[in-house]
Amino acid sequence: MAWRVAALIIPNADMPLRMLRYYTDIRLAGHAGPIRQCLLYIGSERLTMDDGIAEPGLLDYRYQLVDMHQINCAGLLVQDNPDALVLAVLCDFGDRAPEEVVQYIVRRLKELLARDDKRFRAENSPSSRARG
């Protein structure tokens, strides 16, 4: 199964059409298996965007829409997975101080990636945090 994940900061009425374009790009690149698309919303405004395009009798296209502000970071923080830890930065910290959560994430990444310094630098580079 191929995954296509996009992150969005500003609500965009064209996003369902863009996600459909991403889907067709994956297909045109030769992927024949199932494709699961997910859009991670990290904007500050309330999420009201559509999760697909419906044209009765012609098209019924959907993708998963996740508002990261509705996801508690605790489930991601307990995983021994660098990708989950990086994703936790975008979640709701609940009653935890942001500085403490970020310090914990950096410490865990250092532990998990201690033997892979190149990947640690990539996970913590400004470009990896600015994606989307």
Side-chain angles (χ1 to χ4, degrees):
M1 176 181 296
W3 281 84
R4 171 66 181 166
V5 177
L8 181 66
I9 298 173
I10 301 169
N12 184 332
D14 293 336
M15 200 63 202
L17 190 56
R18 287 176 53 195
M19 290 295 284
L20 179 58
R21 188 185 78 217
Y22 297 151
Y23 180 90
T24 59
D25 287 349
I26 294 168
R27 285 285 183 229
L28 290 170
H31 184 80
I35 298 172
R36 181 169 182 184
Q37 289 181 284
C38 181
L39 181 119
L40 304 179
Y41 177 71
I42 57 175
S44 58
E45 297 178 27
R46 188 173 160 275
L47 179 60
T48 58
M49 188 175 17
D50 291 333
D51 64 351
I53 301 170
E55 295 180 2
L58 299 173
L59 177 66
D60 187 12
Y61 164 74
R62 300 273 172 243
Y63 54 91
Q64 185 178 0
L65 189 55
V66 176
D67 184 348
M68 293 303 292
H69 298 289
Q70 303 300 316
I71 306 293
N72 187 311
C73 71
L76 295 170
L77 292 175
V78 298
Q79 296 185 36
D80 289 334
N81 179 317
D83 297 327
L85 290 167
V86 171
L87 194 57
V89 170
L90 304 174
C91 295
D92 179 16
F93 294 166
D95 59 355
R96 300 173 184 192
E99 299 81 17
E100 291 176 21
V101 174
V102 172
Q103 288 173 358
Y104 172 81
I105 291 170
V106 171
R107 185 173 63 251
R108 287 294 294 139
L109 286 171
K110 284 181 181 178
E111 291 168 3
L112 293 170
L113 301 172
R115 294 189 181 104
D116 192 350
D117 190 52
K118 183 177 177 182
R119 184 170 179 208
F120 177 77
R121 284 194 311 272
E123 295 282 352
N124 290 287
S125 72
S127 64
S128 73
R129 290 188 300 271
R131 288 182 199 140

